């Protein structure tokens, strides 16, 4: 049975709100902060005006270059912090977040 919502098939999955990520504590010690997906989504979808599909299908290089291009177009300075991560930084991210 295919459900339709506004002409598009509706996902059979139901979204559940599970509370704030990163707010759980184990043994009285706060867990490590999760990867900053929400902040990155705000930049990509809100600031760059990307569709969610464009955000999720972009590579990290495309994402950071889009930020640099946006900043250049707005007359801002390109900061080193917006550059794509180096190999060592990427390895650290993969080790931390899998």
């Amino acid at each position: 049975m295919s459900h339709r919502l506004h002409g598009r098939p509706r996902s059979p999955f139901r979204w559940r709100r599970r509370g704030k990520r990163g707010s759980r504590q184990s043994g009285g010690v706060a867990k490590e902060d999760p990867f900053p997906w929400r902040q990155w989504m705000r930049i990509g979808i809100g600031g760059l005006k990307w569709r969610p599909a464009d955000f999720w299908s972009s590579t990290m290089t495309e994402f950071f270059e889009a930020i640099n291009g946006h900043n250049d177009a707005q007359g801002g300075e390109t900061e080193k912090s917006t550059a794509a991560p180096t190999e060592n930084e990427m390895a650290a991210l993969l080790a931390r977040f899998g």
Side-chain angles (χ1 to χ4, degrees):
M1 179 172 149
S2 175
H3 301 281
R4 288 197 151 322
L5 179 64
H6 303 291
R8 294 183 299 188
R10 192 173 100 193
S11 172
F13 302 105
R14 299 196 185 266
W15 297 98
R16 286 183 258 152
R17 187 166 208 132
R18 297 182 185 181
K20 209 172 192 181
R21 292 185 72 179
S23 63
R24 297 182 209 122
Q25 293 189 358
S26 62
V29 178
K31 287 188 175 183
E32 213 172 290
D33 288 336
F35 193 81
W37 289 116
R38 290 183 189 270
Q39 181 181 10
W40 285 28
M41 287 172 61
R42 281 189 204 109
I43 293 168
I45 297 169
L48 298 173
K49 308 292 188 222
W50 284 3
R51 297 176 308 144
D54 296 332
F55 171 79
W56 289 111
S57 67
S58 68
T59 64
M60 291 183 76
T61 301
E62 292 168 337
F63 181 71
F64 286 110
E65 286 303 315
I67 292 170
N68 289 337
H70 178 74
N71 289 344
D72 288 345
Q74 300 298 318
E77 294 182 24
T78 304
E79 298 178 17
K80 184 181 184 323
S81 64
T82 61
T86 64
E87 287 186 35
N88 290 338
E89 292 170 332
M90 192 65 194
L93 283 170
L94 287 172
R96 183 173 174 191
F97 298 107

